Amino acid sequence: FIPSQHGEVCRVDSNFNTAGVTSLNLQSYDSELAYLKPGFEVNNYAYLAPYQTSSYYASGKMVRFDLGSFSSVDIVDLSLSDSNLKQFQAAITDGTYGYLVPDYYGKMA
């Protein structure tokens, strides 16, 4: 499940019961990771598209985390390479590259 407000990702195991529910708080890695959009999975990593910070400012911080350990969070701020690379609607992959679908700023990454 994608965090849409508080940076919390939820994982539910295939037995579908409360004993198999775990969460990963992305804000414990970076307090601005609040609003993220759907992404993709490659090589046992989940990637989430940046949208807004906890202060509702456009964000360029893309996140990936290890699906096996449900930890090992990595963050890359795309807006450091171009100030318009922020606030995306979604992310997709072709298996080699990730592509981010622009929202307000209109620049595809």
Side-chain angles (χ1 to χ4, degrees), residues 3-104:
S4 67
Q5 189 168 7
H6 300 290
E8 196 93 14
V9 179
C10 178
R11 176 172 73 177
V12 181
D13 74 15
S14 59
N15 292 325
F16 202 67
N17 60 48
T18 55
V21 175
T22 53
S23 65
L24 174 62
N25 184 350
L26 298 175
Q27 287 186 312
S28 68
Y29 294 87
D30 184 324
S31 63
E32 291 185 346
L33 296 176
Y35 297 90
L36 297 157
K37 292 287 186 164
F40 54 86
E41 179 270 330
V42 173
N43 297 328
N44 209 39
Y45 280 94
Y47 294 78
L48 301 176
Y51 189 67
Q52 290 180 335
T53 68
S54 54
S55 302
Y56 305 105
Y57 293 107
S59 175
K61 293 183 179 181
M62 188 169 188
V63 176
R64 84 170 185 176
F65 58 90
D66 187 298
L67 292 169
S69 66
F70 206 52
S71 63
S72 183
V73 175
D74 297 309
I75 303 162
V76 61
D77 191 343
L78 304 172
S79 66
L80 294 178
S81 64
D82 182 325
S83 63
N84 288 319
L85 292 177
K86 54 190 171 189
Q87 196 163 346
F88 296 93
Q89 279 297 320
I92 58 173
T93 185
D94 63 4
T96 302
Y97 295 99
Y99 302 89
L100 292 118
V101 180
D103 185 47
Y104 178 78

